Amino acid sequence: MKRPKLRKASKRMTCAKRYKIQKKVREHKRKLRKEGKKSGHRKPKKDIGIPNDAPFKAEILREAEQRKQRLEELKQKQKLDRQKEHEKKRKLDAKKKDAPKQKTSSLKQQSSNKQCDKNSKKVPLQKVLCRELIKVIKASDIVLEVLDARDPQGSRCPQVEQAVLQSEENKKLVFVLNKIDLVPKTIVENWLKFLGKELPTVAFKAATQVRDRILQAKHSKMTSRVIDVSRGNTCLGGNTLMKLLRGFRQSPDKVIKVGVVGFPNVGKSSLINSLKQVRVCNVGPARGTTKCMQEVKIDGQVNILDSPGIIVSPSSSAVTLAMRAMPDIDEENPLNAVNAILKHCNKQQIMLQYNVADFKSPLEFITLLANKRGMLKKGGIPDTEGAARLLLSDWSGAKISYHSKPPASFILPTSLSQELKEDTWRKIDPQELQQNNLRTLKFARCPSMASSVVFHSPDLTDGVIEEPEMEEEMKASEEMISDEEEDQEEDISLNEEKEEDNLSGEEEEESRDISSRGSLAKESKASHREKNAKQAELPSQPTTDIQANTKDKDLWVSLDRPANENDDYDFNTDFV
């Protein structure tokens, strides 16, 4: 049965009742105003604003608007600071929780780093890195040169390739094209074809999120937990690379050693962690995280040697130094590096990548980027140096997608002869390797051509791998020390001569003073004796003769002996 609708009550009332309510409201408001006057509370006066007749009204309004904007910016800055503080606290809490878990996984790396630090105190860091790189090349049977897929030609070092290919132990060299997920697929395919004309090239994408050893052990016990396969956890090309390395074995019982070399931030340590599927090497966005050789056992057939980054030659171009070198950002000016990078990129693509307005100079671009990211100093001044460091970290890390195109013409390098090329490809099937690389690219999530910046790459990057001889440095240091000692001896002899000259000058002045005092004493003594002779009415000539005969003796003796001894005149009182 349908429920009947209830009729709503009417809001109509009699006029007497309505007037009565209005009267009560007026009386209540009147009462409140009266109590407010007694307590001293008054209604705030309304701001009448700036009258139209006031002089400089436009400037006053402009200043008020600027003051309002400053207050809003200050509030926004305080809000960002609070957010940063909260993020720092969260990170510290997370580090405190993960600290005991990461201790066991990084014991070997810490011990090796400590040894390098001890050596680096005595020897410069450049020599230590060169020494460790040479150790890796000598101890390895196969060398993997890791190349950045965004700039493979600029990631190659001809000095390292020559040292590997022309070694007496007949070492093999293989290219690993890492970071393929940051480059469009067509560009990666072109680079695989270009590099495959020289040596075997494997397309690879390292896993950025790898479990620690303790977490891996716990995870193996907890079989019910679901494995998270995300973009950062997946490794592509690992099976292809391991199959290629096992194909180089001469006997099934022999364990091959594989050295991993390359410039900083190309992903050497990440490649080893991805193959091991456990974090055994320290990785980070900063250049030069790895400083010593570290051996990692992948399985019973392959051992991998991690190496520090190749040192870029100081004579390289500004772009090469900005992209590949390990500079101290605090000491060098990052604006010069940013200027060199922007010159080799398309301006419109950079504007779209960072969502920045049109700019005329690199400094203007850095200023716009600092304002965009809220990087401001005291007084609202843009932090240009901080923005420049941010851009450099983006380009050296994995945040920016840029690519360079392979050269139009192919020329076989001088270090690689046709015999070495055939010897390297002898145990490898080129068609199978190409199919495996295409399968790897099929599962990779690569950006489109529209979202990637075109980068005009320079030629191969020259590196420093030869350690300077210690004997020459010792000779140079000994020569420097001998020169310093000779300079010190010359300074001492000059000081002694100056002191002798000063002493001789002082002695001459003293003798002059004494002689002048002696002559004055003689004159005063003669005048005194003449007076005594006149008083005694004695001839003065004999006394002068006696004085003339004994003047020198009386003078020097009288100066050395006491004044009142056998003499009528007190010499001391005359010259005091």
Side-chain angles (χ1 to χ4, degrees), residues 123-138:
V123 186
L125 181 61
Q126 183 178 355
K127 296 180 186 177
V128 175
L129 298 180
C130 292
R131 192 180 301 168
E132 296 296 319
L133 180 62
I134 293 170
K135 281 184 185 178
V136 171
I137 294 174
K138 288 182 178 179

Side-chain angles (χ1 to χ4, degrees), residues 38-255:
K38 288 180 180 179
S39 61
H41 177 70
R42 294 183 180 181
K43 189 176 180 181
K45 293 182 180 180
K46 187 178 180 180
D47 188 11
I48 61 173
I50 303 171
N52 294 328
D53 298 336
F56 310 109
K57 180 180 178 180
E59 295 179 359
I60 295 170
L61 290 173
R62 197 181 300 113
E63 289 178 359
E65 187 67 24
Q66 290 176 358
R67 197 180 301 110
K68 187 178 179 182
Q69 289 180 359
R70 287 173 190 167
L71 290 173
E72 290 179 357
E73 290 176 357
L74 182 63
K75 289 180 181 178
Q76 190 70 17
K77 186 179 179 182
Q78 290 175 354
K79 186 179 178 181
L80 291 173
D81 292 340
R82 286 195 297 270
Q83 290 177 358
K84 288 180 181 179
E85 288 179 0
H86 288 308
E87 289 178 0
K88 285 182 181 178
K89 288 180 181 178
R90 289 173 187 170
K91 288 180 181 178
L92 288 173
D93 295 338
K95 283 182 180 179
K96 287 179 182 178
K97 291 180 182 178
D98 298 338
K101 298 176 183 178
Q102 294 178 356
K103 281 183 179 178
T104 55
S105 65
S106 60
L107 283 175
K108 290 184 179 180
Q109 185 70 16
Q110 287 177 358
S111 61
S112 60
N113 286 336
K114 284 180 181 178
Q115 292 177 359
C116 285
D117 292 338
K118 289 179 182 178
N119 296 331
S120 62
K121 290 179 181 178
K122 299 179 181 179
V123 186
L125 181 61
Q126 183 178 355
K127 296 180 186 177
V128 175
L129 298 180
C130 292
R131 192 180 301 168
E132 296 296 319
L133 180 62
I134 293 170
K135 281 184 185 178
V136 171
I137 294 174
K138 288 182 178 179
S140 57
D141 303 322
I142 304 169
V143 177
L144 301 178
E145 187 176 8
V146 184
L147 308 179
D148 193 342
R150 298 173 293 182
D151 184 16
Q153 199 74 355
S155 305
R156 295 180 59 179
C157 180
Q159 286 78 14
V160 172
E161 295 177 6
Q162 184 177 0
V164 174
L165 295 172
Q166 296 182 0
S167 61
E168 298 178 356
E169 292 83 3
N170 193 16
K171 301 180 187 294
K172 309 297 181 184
L173 182 65
V174 178
F175 293 144
V176 178
L177 200 63
N178 195 15
K179 301 182 181 181
I180 59 173
D181 57 327
L182 302 177
V183 183
K185 289 185 179 181
T186 55
I187 301 297
V188 177
E189 291 176 358
N190 294 336
W191 274 113
L192 289 172
K193 291 178 182 177
F194 180 82
L195 296 173
K197 295 177 181 179
E198 297 183 25
L199 294 170
T201 307
V202 180
F204 194 85
K205 184 256 171 188
T208 56
Q209 298 175 4
V210 184
R211 293 187 184 89
D212 204 340
R213 287 183 176 179
I214 298 175
L215 295 176
Q216 184 76 9
K218 289 182 179 179
H219 180 73
S220 61
K221 295 179 181 178
M222 301 171 66
T223 56
S224 61
R225 183 178 294 177
V226 179
I227 301 174
D228 180 20
V229 182
S230 62
R231 185 179 180 184
N233 292 333
T234 55
C235 169
L236 300 176
N239 296 329
T240 304
L241 182 60
M242 291 301 297
K243 187 177 180 180
L244 186 143
L245 294 176
R246 292 190 183 100
F248 282 108
R249 287 188 306 158
Q250 297 179 357
S251 62
D253 299 333
K254 185 180 179 181
V255 178

Side-chain angles (χ1 to χ4, degrees), residues 20 72 91 93 138 207 252 306 330 361 371 479 535 568:
K20 189 177 179 179
E72 290 179 357
K91 288 180 181 178
D93 295 338
K138 288 182 178 179
D306 191 11
D330 295 332
S361 63
N371 290 325
E479 290 177 358
Q535 290 176 2
D568 296 333

